[in-house]
Amino acid sequence: MNETEFVKEIASKEEAFSQWYIDVVKKADLADYTVVKGCMVIKPYGYALWENMQHCLDQRIKATGHKNAYFPIFIPESLLKKEAEHVAGFAPEVAWVTQGGNQKLEERLAVRPTSEAIIGSLYSKWIHSWRDLPILINQWANIVRWEKVTRPFLRTTEFLWQEGHTAHQTQQEAEEETLKILAIYKDYIEKDLAIPVIIGKKSNTEKFAGAMHTYTLEALMGDGKILQTGTSHNLGQNFAKAFDIRFLDENQEEQFAWTTSWGTSTRLVGGIIMVHGDERGLKLPPKVAPLHIVIVPIFFDQSKQEVLNKAQQYKILLSEKFNVELDDRDNYTPGWKFNEWEMKGVPVRLEIGPRDLAHNQVVAVRRDKGNKVMIAESELLPTMERWMTDIQNNLYMQARSRLEENIRFCENYDQFKEIMAEKRGFIKAYWCGNEKCEEEIKRDTKATIRCIPLDENKEKGKCIFCGAESSSLVFFGRAY
RNA sequence: CGGGGUGUAGCGCAGUUUGGCAAGCGCACCUGCUUUGGGAGCAGGGGGUCGGAGGUUCAAGUCCUCUCACCCCGACCA
């Protein structure tokens, strides 16, 4: 059978990537548009995926001593304004509440675009002594940013995320926290979402508004563009000074606290789609897939009940370890179901019909491979356990080879432009550190500095734009 | 926010150029029978007032004005 004939409802990934993306979101039943501009509804299947993602990350956050809390969605304008660089950065995309009921508000309230301000104001109340530190809080919340161009999951007016906010006694502790979170994010995104990332530091122009510096995780998408999958900010004492977060240290001296903040969002769902998806639709890593196994019974008149009974037995057996669905709908043919579950990215499909019954076996198909394999009934559970691990690894390895193939070292600006125009991906090139060069490159190629690697580069080279000598070898790419 | 495009049944579209008397097609949906190992077949059936508002006209899906939404390409951002 012709590969492209499997699913006709999804645009070609090769030819129309953004349409393909939208189609997958809708056909896999992850989300839908609503009457509110830029606001999507996350449908049960998509939300189950998000819940699994939340769970994976939440465990890691808690295991490192952080606690969850919830802060208000409304932030008085006066608070938001306290950190100048911060408010300047967010002002263009803040939604304001100016009226409550029939009454105009004395002071307008921002619908949180991020919570540094409100949390900072409370930390100021809560922190008095070095004994109060560190304070390690995370919140799962919705965020509103008035975006001009929106796309499901990747950029929506309202989105869901987690944001961690911590305060520490020393600069070093805050820096350790920032890096610890970066490592947690990397572990989570690579191990659970099977998305390989490049980590590093943001350039000054790309860092978080108000931060001292920002660490980031950057991932390659199926169209060669780069998605920022998470950030971890060392806020220095900027916010502590703006929000008056002070404490008395062991020497009875008054100090400003050192704070951090860090976040990942529902945007990662978009990342999963764009990294793992193929012409047939979604492909979900088992660790976060809402459904691990779907069983499709093959009905014929005489054997129908027998097949169904067996399928139910398998479901019970496999449910010990996995989320399993038995698709016993009568009004769809097996072929139709195969396509639907493939679109939805379920890692493994089992087919069971009269022939299998006779041989005590099932037909099994991995979403990442596609070929049919016979498995003896007695081997089913252990095989599935092995497969899930394999699929998880395979998705990661495939994504990693694509990433590696798409990191190109470049020393010649014309070649740089050519690569960005044709292949995209990451370009590793020397940069002198001058914002002018960064800006010019962006204007010419739409590529920005995605990150500056953390490991010290000893070799010197020439800035890709101006030719000045530099030891800073950075990653460029076109970002989402 | 600039340039382009699209809004007609749940989805995908035709019809709009040249206004005209019954608003159509495919898929989906409902009923029945036959089917079911890669999106089943036949027969019958239900559903839209043409994105919204205003206007022109004997008559508007079709012409005019305004407006909204979505998509694509840019500028701005997680």
Side-chain angles (χ1 to χ4, degrees):
Chain A
M1 174 171 314
N2 185 338
E3 287 286 307
T4 59
E5 278 177 19
F6 275 97
V7 177
K8 304 151 207 143
E9 299 185 33
I10 303 177
S12 161
K13 187 184 169 195
E14 296 303 316
E15 291 160 26
F17 192 84
S18 35
Q19 189 58 48
W20 168 86
Y21 175 80
I22 305 279
D23 289 346
V24 172
V25 166
K26 288 175 88 166
K27 299 296 176 188
D29 220 22
L30 297 174
D32 200 358
Y33 291 95
T34 68
V35 290
V36 189
K37 181 185 165 75
C39 294
M40 61 172 179
V41 50
I42 304 177
K43 296 184 73 178
Y45 190 64
Y47 201 76
L49 171 61
W50 173 241
E51 285 181 313
N52 289 343
M53 292 163 66
Q54 278 185 297
H55 179 72
C56 290
L57 182 56
D58 199 54
Q59 279 185 319
R60 287 175 167 83
I61 290 172
K62 286 175 178 157
T64 42
H66 305 82
K67 303 229 191 276
N68 284 340
Y70 186 79
F71 294 85
I73 191 173
F74 298 125
I75 304 171
E77 181 168 21
S78 53
L79 269 188
L80 201 61
K81 276 185 168 163
K82 285 193 172 180
E83 216 290 333
E85 195 181 324
H86 185 60
V87 71
F90 280 100
E93 39 186 354
V94 171
W96 294 103
V97 177
T98 56
Q99 191 162 322
N102 293 324
Q103 295 213 308
K104 195 158 191 258
L105 302 182
E106 298 231 334
E107 180 182 7
R108 47 183 198 162
L109 301 172
V111 181
R112 66 176 158 229
T114 180
S115 302
E116 277 74 8
I118 187 86
I119 294 179
S121 74
L122 287 154
Y123 280 5
S124 158
K125 256 173 82 172
W126 298 345
I127 296 167
H128 304 104
S129 147
W130 64 274
R131 294 176 207 274
D132 295 328
L133 296 172
I135 183 162
L136 308 171
I137 292 184
N138 176 62
Q139 105 164 326
W140 290 93
N142 58 338
I143 289 293
V144 169
R145 293 184 190 170
W146 219 255
E147 298 289 350
K148 286 164 187 156
V149 179
T150 58
R151 302 185 70 194
F153 293 110
L154 296 176
R155 178 164 291 107
T156 45
T157 303
E158 180 186 15
F159 59 96
L160 306 182
W161 80 351
Q162 71 45 231
E163 51 179 324
H165 294 269
T166 69
H168 307 264
Q169 257 192 90
T170 65
Q171 173 163 22
Q172 190 193 337
E173 259 186 61
E175 180 63 11
E176 280 166 11
E177 168 76 8
T178 314
L179 286 167
K180 180 194 283 177
I181 295 298
L182 184 71
I184 286 175
Y185 282 166
K186 180 174 159 70
D187 193 63
Y188 159 62
I189 294 168
E190 295 197 327
K191 295 223 173 88
D192 293 338
L193 310 187
I195 299 174
V197 290
I198 287 182
I199 59 171
K201 205 176 191 175
K202 283 295 188 189
S203 71
N204 233 21
T205 49
E206 297 277 332
K207 77 173 166 65
F208 179 73
M212 196 168 79
H213 56 251
T214 290
Y215 295 112
T216 180
L217 303 96
E218 305 281 328
L220 175 75
M221 300 296 112
D223 60 349
K225 286 168 79 174
I226 312 302
L227 187 74
Q228 179 175 306
T229 55
T231 44
S232 180
H233 317 292
N234 186 333
L235 304 176
Q237 290 180 310
N238 295 348
F239 283 80
K241 285 177 180 164
F243 293 95
D244 201 27
I245 308 172
R246 284 173 298 156
F247 65 95
L248 276 183
D249 69 14
E250 295 95 320
N251 306 316
Q252 301 193 46
E253 285 185 32
E254 191 165 69
Q255 305 275 359
F256 282 110
W258 299 81
T259 66
T260 81
S261 70
W262 27 275
T264 63
S265 72
T266 35
R267 172 179 249 199
L268 281 170
V269 174
I272 292 175
I273 299 168
M274 291 194 293
V275 169
H276 301 306
D278 65 11
E279 294 286 343
R280 292 192 213 176
L282 198 56
K283 224 186 261 178
L284 292 176
K287 287 201 174 158
V288 291
L291 260 184
H292 298 114
I293 299 170
V294 62
I295 304 174
V296 178
I298 313 296
F299 295 143
F300 292 94
D301 262 355
Q302 295 80 3
S303 54
K304 181 170 175 177
Q305 197 51 50
E306 215 183 333
V307 165
L308 199 54
N309 288 344
K310 197 58 166 180
Q312 264 150 1
Q313 280 177 32
Y314 286 145
K315 181 182 171 177
I316 292 164
L317 169 76
L318 293 166
S319 292
E320 275 179 39
K321 304 266 183 179
F322 307 108
N323 288 326
V324 186
E325 182 157 327
L326 170 57
D327 186 354
D328 58 359
R329 289 175 294 178
D330 223 3
N331 51 334
Y332 293 101
T333 60
W336 194 95
K337 293 175 184 176
F338 297 167
N339 285 299
E340 166 157 85
W341 293 113
E342 278 166 7
M343 273 195 288
K344 297 183 83 159
V346 177
V348 173
R349 176 179 79 244
L350 300 180
E351 302 169 22
I352 168 157
R355 288 209 297 267
D356 307 308
L357 235 53
H359 297 99
N360 285 317
Q361 65 176 28
V362 293
V363 174
V365 183
R366 279 171 57 157
R367 177 61 179 86
D368 61 330
K369 294 226 160 122
N371 57 313
K372 301 197 178 194
V373 178
M374 307 294 180
I375 297 175
E377 186 180 335
S378 55
E379 287 300 308
L380 189 55
L381 191 56
T383 307
M384 288 303 109
E385 290 188 76
R386 212 168 48 242
W387 275 22
M388 291 303 160
T389 312
D390 267 14
I391 293 169
Q392 184 79 31
N393 291 340
N394 188 36
L395 289 182
Y396 177 76
M397 291 313 289
Q398 285 181 357
R400 205 173 82 174
S401 341
R402 268 199 312 278
L403 171 63
E404 280 161 8
E405 286 161 18
N406 283 287
I407 299 175
R408 298 176 179 89
F409 176 71
C410 187
E411 287 181 296
N412 170 302
Y413 192 50
D414 285 332
Q415 193 192 351
F416 183 109
K417 286 193 272 196
E418 200 182 302
I419 295 171
M420 267 308 149
E422 285 164 18
K423 297 180 170 152
R424 299 183 182 168
F426 283 102
I427 293 181
K428 236 181 156 175
Y430 282 95
W431 172 56
C432 62
N434 190 329
E435 287 177 19
K436 287 244 170 65
C437 292
E438 191 181 5
E439 201 183 312
E440 293 288 335
I441 292 169
K442 185 178 180 185
R443 188 180 312 154
D444 285 354
T445 67
K446 292 167 194 148
T448 47
I449 296 174
R450 297 325 304 153
C451 67
I452 303 160
L454 301 180
D455 43 339
E456 285 272 318
N457 176 53
K458 304 245 162 56
E459 310 264 311
K460 282 199 187 294
K462 287 183 172 162
C463 174
I464 188 75
F465 190 78
C466 70
E469 190 160 86
S470 161
S471 62
S472 186
L473 191 53
V474 306
F475 287 95
F476 287 89
R478 279 187 65 176
Y480 261 97

